[in-house]
Amino acid sequence: MLEEWFPKVVAQFNDWKGVPDQLLDASDAIIGLGHYQGRSKVTGKTFKVPFAHVWFMKDGRTIKLNHNVNTLMLHCAMTVD
C-alpha cells in the first residue's frame, strides 16, 4: 500500500517535492500529472521524475488512488556510478 512504502522512499531524499503540473477532471476521477524532484541523500544526485496519479472519487471523497511513477529514474538517482 502507498502509505507503507512511500514514506520509506521519500526518506531516501533531501528536498523532496511533488509538483502538480496539470489536474484533469474525468467525471468520477481526477487525474494529476506532475513530477517529483529532490536530491538523493546517498549520492547527492538531483532528479526530476514524472508522475501520474488517478484519484477515484465518490460523494466528494477519494475511494482509490492509482500512483504511477518512473521508479527506474528514482533508482538511478540513488545508485552510485
Side-chain angles (χ1 to χ4, degrees):
M1 300 190 94
L2 181 64
E3 60 272 357
E4 293 174 10
W5 65 265
F6 195 68
K8 293 176 184 176
V9 170
V10 173
Q12 302 301 309
F13 299 94
N14 290 318
D15 308 320
W16 179 280
K17 292 179 187 168
V19 180
D21 297 319
Q22 189 173 15
L23 295 174
L24 306 168
D25 182 354
S27 186
D28 61 347
I30 298 170
I31 300 168
L33 304 174
H35 63 276
Y36 294 123
Q37 62 189 51
R39 183 172 42 85
S40 169
K41 289 181 179 179
V42 173
T43 66
K45 293 178 187 176
T46 60
F47 66 91
K48 185 176 178 182
V49 178
F51 69 72
H53 297 171
V54 181
W55 292 274
F56 294 92
M57 310 298 289
K58 184 174 182 180
D59 299 325
R61 305 183 99 183
T62 303
I63 58 170
K64 181 180 175 183
L65 168 64
N66 284 353
H67 177 255
N68 302 283
V69 64
N70 188 325
T71 54
L72 177 59
M73 291 177 76
L74 289 176
H75 174 75
C76 290
M78 296 173 16
T79 303
V80 177
D81 293 331

